[in-house]
């Protein structure tokens, strides 16, 4: 909601300033005051028209205008003086024609807006709308201005009523009216109505050759997402990426692909954002790195993870070292995996960390280190895959010709119901017999050739 309220207030301030009435705007014909004398008989005074100002009223209005908005540079407005003049003219309210009444009241609204007395301004606009023979342009001005003020006060239903009345009376459409209507309906969570109004606002801006602000695209996007219309939101977001190319646009694009269950394009969008330098925090780096790992691209994931760590964006802590080690294992980059795995056991020193390190040593054929690390993992306890670790330990011990220990580890794996553990027990027993036989043959050969 904060986005819409900020857009709403900005739009209202701009529109109200644009529609402030000035003294020059109220004169459509020469004021009805006495004509210059000539040699002929004096004409009777003209009948007062309802669409003109008398000379006296015009002079007062001009003075009020000068007080509210001084024409001389550097002169401060005289708001108390303007109010005093307005009140004096208002004392003769009943003697004024309808045009003079609406002019007086419009300048009251100018004053109330200047002193930020919004409720008094609204009350005055309501008085204007009650004038029986109010000119169409004056009624339109009052309807639009009051609608904007109601919206600014978050009285959205009243705002919608006034602005719809404006549309019923006006021969033309207004970008400002469509914008305020869209924002008012948005704040009432009436997205089905708000979206067409916002689209009309955008169309009018294009017709007038004006640029559409980014926050308008963002608001349209928010409403489509609220409706769960992700296909429409995707098109808006693609437009924003093309027009503005900002980090938030790329992140939003990835999020919407996620809503659409298009994982490949979601990750592609995040990766493009990364290469543009738009990833800003640890969560974004981790999201992309782990997503790539899950998409069978662990090497690209670990590169991004390492880059984040080198930049200081991704913290070099136990959780992240564990993630990095897992990615090295998934990428089968076992030589490079040694360093982060050794860092991991220094930081966390838990069974899982020692298991990772033992497996990496095993894959690098460092069997002595592998056996030590896996035995440490088992000693720490709490492993969910203890049987698998026991079987891997047995393999390392066989390579070290430590058959009795290997047989013990393999039998423990059998007790933990590890697949193929029984076959490996048989393999260890066979390997032990073969090794012993070879050792016996060596001893016999040594005895044969030993000098008597």
């Amino acid at each position: 909601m904060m986005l819409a309220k900020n857009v709403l207030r900005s739009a209202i301030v701009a529109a109200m300033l644009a529609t402030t009435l000035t003294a020059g705007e109220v004169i459509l014909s020469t004021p009805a005051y006495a004509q210059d004398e000539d040699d002929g008989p004096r004409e009777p005074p003209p009948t007062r028209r309802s669409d003109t100002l008398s000379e006296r009223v015009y002079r007062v209005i001009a003075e009020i205008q000068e007080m509210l908005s001084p024409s001389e540079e550097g002169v401060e407005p005289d708001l108390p003086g303007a109010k005093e003049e307005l009140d004096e003219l208002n004392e003769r309210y009943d003697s004024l024609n309808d045009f003079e009444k609406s002019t007086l009241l419009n300048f009251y609204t100018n004053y109330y807006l200047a002193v930020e007395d919004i409720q008094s301004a609204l009350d005055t606009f309501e008085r204007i709308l009650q004038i029986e023979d109010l000119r169409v342009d004056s009624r339109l001005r009052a309807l639009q201005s009051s609608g904007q003020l109601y919206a600014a006060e978050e009285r959205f239903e009243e705002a919608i009523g006034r602005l719809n009345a404006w549309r019923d009376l006006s021969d033309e459409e207004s970008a400002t009216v469509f914008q305020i209507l869209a924002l008012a309906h948005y704040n009432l969570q009436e997205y089905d109505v708000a979206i067409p109004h916002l689209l009309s606002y955008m169309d009018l801006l294009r017709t007038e050759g004006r640029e559409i602000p980014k926050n308008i695209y963002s608001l349209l996007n928010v409403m489509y997402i609220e409706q769960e219309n992700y296909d429409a939101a995707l098109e808006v977001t693609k437009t924003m990426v093309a027009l503005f190319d900002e980090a938030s646009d790329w992140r939003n694009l990835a999020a919407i692909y996620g809503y659409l269950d298009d994982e490949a394009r979601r990750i592609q969008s995040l990766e493009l954002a990364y290469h543009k330098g738009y990833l800003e925090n640890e969560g974004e780096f981790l999201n992309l790195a782990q997503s790539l790992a899950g998409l069978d691209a662990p090497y690209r994931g670990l590169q991004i993870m390492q880059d984040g760590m080198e930049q200081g964006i991704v913290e070099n802590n136990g959780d992240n070292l564990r993630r990095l080690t897992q990615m090295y294992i998934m990428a089968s980059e076992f030589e490079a995996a040694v360093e982060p795995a050794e860092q991991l056991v220094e930081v966390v020193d838990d069974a899982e960390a020692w298991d990772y390190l033992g497996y990496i040593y095993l894959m690098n054929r460092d069997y002595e280190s592998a056996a030590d690390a896996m035995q440490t993992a088992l000693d720490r306890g709490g492993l969910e895959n203890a049987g698998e670790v026991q079987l891997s330990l047995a393999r390392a011990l066989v390579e070290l010709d430590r058959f009795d220990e290997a047989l013990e580890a393999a039998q423990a794996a059998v007790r933990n119901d590890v697949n193929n553990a029984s076959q490996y027990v048989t393999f260890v027993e066979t390997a032990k017999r073969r090794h012993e036989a070879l050792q016996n043959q060596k001893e016999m050969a040594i005895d044969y050739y030993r000098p008597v």
Side-chain angles (χ1 to χ4, degrees):
M1 287 293 185
M2 185 58 68
L3 166 68
K5 287 183 178 179
N6 289 339
V7 174
L8 180 62
R9 294 188 183 281
S10 298
I12 288 168
V13 169
M16 292 302 293
L17 289 174
T19 57
T20 298
L21 189 67
T22 65
E25 291 178 310
V26 303
I27 304 302
L28 299 183
S29 60
T30 304
Y33 52 86
Q35 309 263 334
D36 291 337
E37 293 185 5
D38 56 26
D39 294 335
R42 186 181 184 88
E43 296 289 338
T47 304
R48 293 195 63 195
R49 296 169 57 189
S50 62
D51 61 349
T52 60
L53 299 180
S54 68
E55 179 186 15
R56 182 175 181 182
V57 172
Y58 176 76
R59 284 200 305 266
V60 174
I61 291 298
E63 291 174 5
I64 293 169
Q65 172 65 26
E66 181 66 21
M67 292 178 181
L68 290 173
S69 301
S71 57
E72 186 176 344
E73 188 175 351
V75 177
E76 293 294 323
D78 181 6
L79 298 179
K83 180 61 162 56
E84 184 176 345
E85 291 286 344
L86 286 168
D87 290 342
E88 287 182 8
L89 185 56
N90 189 49
E91 291 176 1
R92 307 198 314 274
Y93 185 81
D94 292 338
S95 67
L96 304 178
N97 65 38
D98 287 344
F99 186 51
E100 290 171 336
K101 290 177 180 178
S102 68
T103 301
L104 168 65
L105 295 177
N106 268 305
F107 273 90
Y108 261 119
T109 63
N110 290 359
Y111 166 78
Y112 287 131
L113 289 173
V115 298
E116 299 183 2
D117 186 351
I118 304 301
Q119 186 55 54
S120 293
L122 282 169
D123 293 341
T124 305
F125 279 123
E126 295 300 328
R127 287 182 64 192
I128 294 172
L129 293 171
Q130 291 169 13
I131 296 175
E132 185 175 352
D133 293 325
L134 185 64
R135 282 180 3 182
V136 172
D137 63 327
S138 296
R139 188 171 297 277
L140 287 171
R141 183 193 300 275
L143 287 169
Q144 180 173 335
S145 297
S146 61
Q148 292 170 296
L149 285 179
Y150 278 127
E153 293 297 288
E154 301 183 15
R155 295 164 63 176
F156 299 115
E157 292 180 353
E158 291 163 290
I160 290 167
R162 286 290 175 261
L163 296 176
N164 281 336
W166 184 96
R167 292 189 66 205
D168 291 339
L169 182 61
S170 176
D171 294 330
E172 299 178 352
E173 296 288 8
S174 162
T176 297
V177 169
F178 275 129
Q179 182 186 19
I180 305 301
L181 278 171
L183 293 166
H185 283 291
Y186 167 78
N187 280 281
L188 294 173
Q189 299 183 9
E190 297 170 350
Y191 308 123
D192 289 341
V193 185
I195 288 173
H197 284 318
L198 193 61
L199 291 173
S200 295
Y201 167 65
M202 297 168 75
D203 287 341
L204 281 176
L205 290 187
R206 293 188 188 100
T207 300
E208 296 169 6
R210 295 160 59 189
E211 291 186 2
I212 300 172
K214 184 184 178 185
N215 55 18
I216 297 302
Y217 285 105
S218 298
L219 179 60
L220 181 61
N221 217 10
V222 166
M223 289 194 283
Y224 280 135
I225 291 172
E226 289 286 351
Q227 288 185 319
E228 298 184 4
N229 186 352
Y230 301 123
D231 289 319
L234 177 62
E235 294 307 310
V236 175
T237 307
K238 285 180 178 179
T239 300
M240 294 174 70
V241 165
L243 290 176
F244 308 108
D245 189 22
E246 295 181 3
S248 59
D249 303 325
W250 285 95
R251 290 194 292 269
N252 289 338
L253 182 63
I256 291 171
Y257 277 128
Y259 292 138
L260 292 169
D261 294 326
D262 191 339
E263 188 66 4
R265 283 191 173 88
R266 184 188 75 83
I267 296 171
Q268 183 183 51
S269 300
L270 280 176
E271 195 166 11
L272 283 170
Y274 164 73
H275 288 299
K276 285 176 171 286
Y278 288 161
L279 300 191
E280 298 175 347
N281 57 57
E282 181 179 83
E284 292 169 355
F285 272 84
L286 293 179
N287 185 351
L288 176 57
Q290 291 178 298
S291 295
L292 285 168
L295 200 66
D296 295 330
Y299 187 74
R300 278 154 57 198
L302 69 87
Q303 287 180 312
I304 289 167
M305 189 88 169
Q306 281 186 315
D307 182 37
M309 286 180 165
E310 289 171 4
Q311 292 186 55
I313 297 172
V314 177
E315 188 176 351
N316 192 13
N317 58 26
D319 288 339
N320 291 334
L321 284 169
R322 195 185 306 274
R323 294 184 180 103
L324 184 61
T325 301
Q326 290 171 336
M327 286 184 212
Y328 271 112
I329 292 172
M330 293 171 67
S332 298
E333 294 286 332
F334 298 113
E335 288 186 17
V338 173
E339 183 178 351
E342 289 178 341
Q343 289 181 34
L344 177 62
V345 297
E346 289 177 6
V347 173
V348 298
D349 192 25
D350 63 16
E352 185 181 58
W354 282 102
D355 175 23
Y356 289 152
L357 182 59
Y359 178 73
I360 291 166
Y361 282 143
L362 181 65
M363 299 306 294
N364 284 314
R365 299 184 180 182
D366 183 352
Y367 301 117
E368 190 73 46
S369 297
D372 290 344
M374 286 185 280
Q375 186 59 60
T376 302
L378 292 167
D379 291 342
R380 292 286 184 274
L383 284 169
E384 293 182 2
N385 63 333
E388 297 287 350
V389 176
Q390 288 160 339
L391 189 58
S392 294
L393 174 60
R395 292 187 175 115
L397 292 169
V398 165
E399 297 292 339
L400 296 170
D401 297 336
R402 292 160 58 179
F403 296 105
D404 290 336
E405 295 172 76
L407 184 60
E408 184 180 347
Q411 289 170 338
V414 171
R415 291 193 294 274
N416 281 304
D417 296 324
V418 177
N419 291 335
N420 301 320
S422 296
Q423 292 91 322
Y424 201 75
V425 167
T426 303
F427 170 78
V428 174
E429 290 173 340
T430 302
K432 179 182 179 183
R433 288 194 296 270
R434 185 184 303 113
H435 178 75
E436 289 175 346
L438 287 172
Q439 290 300 111
N440 288 334
Q441 290 177 5
K442 287 181 181 179
E443 290 295 328
M444 291 174 63
I446 291 171
D447 289 343
Y448 181 81
Y449 289 104
R450 182 179 293 128
V452 177

